[in-house]
Amino acid sequence: MEINGKTKVYGIMGNPIEHSLSPLMHGMFADALGLDMVYVPFHVAEGQIETALRGAYGLNICGMNVTVPYKNAVLPYLTEVEQRAAAAGAVNTLVHDAREDKEGFIGYNTDMGGLWRAMHEEGISLKGEEVIILGAGGAGRAAAFECASSDAKKVYLLNRDAAKAEEVAAKVNEALSRYGKNCVSAMALSEYPKLLTGAEHRYIVIQCTSVGLAPKTAEAVLEDGDFYHYVKYGYDLIYTPWETKFMSLVTANGGVAYNGLKMLLYQGIDAFEMWTGCKVTKESAEKVYQAIKDKLYV
Ligand code: ATR
């Protein structure tokens, strides 16, 4: 493509950023629609996030993605944080604030919307379901908020560090109290057998810890086959490797397992559509999905 004075600039900020698939995805979305835009990976050094945001705004960068380790760190420097991102405590998408009296970006979170779109595509609904979330880090908190604010009946938030699970569950319940909801319960990871005794149903489980991520692919956050016997759908937010140990345990015990690659795709589509006002077609989404898959699993 030819870059000229009218080319719109977008990008992603993170550290490390070298392996991000977002430039490939957004480049393909833009090409399919013939949009004059570029999407650049920006490596932001530790302690430089505020400066980076000011610079991005000053340079008229139209929109940004934010990735590890800045999803939470950007919050104080935004002109506004959308409710979903505020409750999740994490922002992954920035939109140029067009209001005259504001200088900066508005923060959104398309990660979890991406997960729901991926689930929806598989025909999975949370209506009336009991959901177990493994991990109470940034991803676990966002997942807990999303499940609790949807029509899931009950959300169990399990974490190795039980105090952290308690703290996160309290925050999510507080954020949802205005809707009269209080359905998140915190537990220590080691307490999982409590969820199995007397359970007549099977759970939807969302794996939000870093356990099993390449190169440590031989690990799963819970290894007990008894647990997996109670899992009907297992979602791992990890997408390298293609099939994690968690996923193979789900499948081996009669459940259906998914990795996080579709979520990655849809969080990107949601951000792109928000920035450009254009719709990514199903064909384009499929092409991009194949391209990121080819890139990851050669
Ligand atoms: P993210 O933003 O991706 O969620 P994070 O905030 O660093 O990342 O959270 C990592 C999650 O993986 C946490 O829930 C962490 O549990 P602790 O809060 O107890 O540390 C979980 N995790 C990492 N290694 C783990 C392990 N070996 N066993 C169990 N949980 C683990």
Side-chain angles (χ1 to χ4, degrees), residues 101-147:
D101 57 335
K102 302 284 180 195
E103 289 188 2
F105 294 94
I106 304 174
Y108 295 84
N109 189 320
T110 67
D111 281 332
M112 289 302 136
L115 177 65
W116 309 136
R117 238 171 122 169
M119 281 189 173
H120 184 76
E121 196 179 275
E122 308 292 352
I124 299 170
S125 145
L126 294 177
K127 195 171 166 47
E129 297 285 355
E130 298 201 32
V131 183
I132 296 176
I133 291 170
L134 302 174
R141 174 171 165 180
F145 175 74
E146 287 295 330
C147 293

Side-chain angles (χ1 to χ4, degrees), residues 68 134-140 159-161 164 189 208-211 219 221:
V68 177
L134 302 174
N159 200 47
R160 178 177 58 178
D161 174 350
K164 194 155 133 193
L189 191 62
C208 302
T209 77
S210 46
V211 184
E219 299 172 7
V221 65

Side-chain angles (χ1 to χ4, degrees), residues 4 31 49 66 122 128 150 162 166 176 181-182 191-192 194 200 204 217 219-220 222 233 240 247 258 264 274 277 284:
N4 59 50
D31 283 351
I49 192 65
V66 182
E122 308 292 352
S150 74
E166 291 285 354
L176 290 168
K181 290 196 100 176
N182 186 343
E191 286 183 300
Y192 74 88
K194 285 188 189 165
E200 285 162 11
I204 294 179
T217 56
E219 299 172 7
L222 286 176
Y233 299 118
T240 50
M247 291 167 63
Y258 304 91
L264 177 77
M274 205 187 295
S284 169

Side-chain angles (χ1 to χ4, degrees), residues 253-267:
N253 286 281
V256 184
Y258 304 91
N259 67 23
L261 197 63
K262 278 267 163 78
M263 173 181 168
L264 177 77
L265 173 75
Y266 284 120
Q267 65 73 32

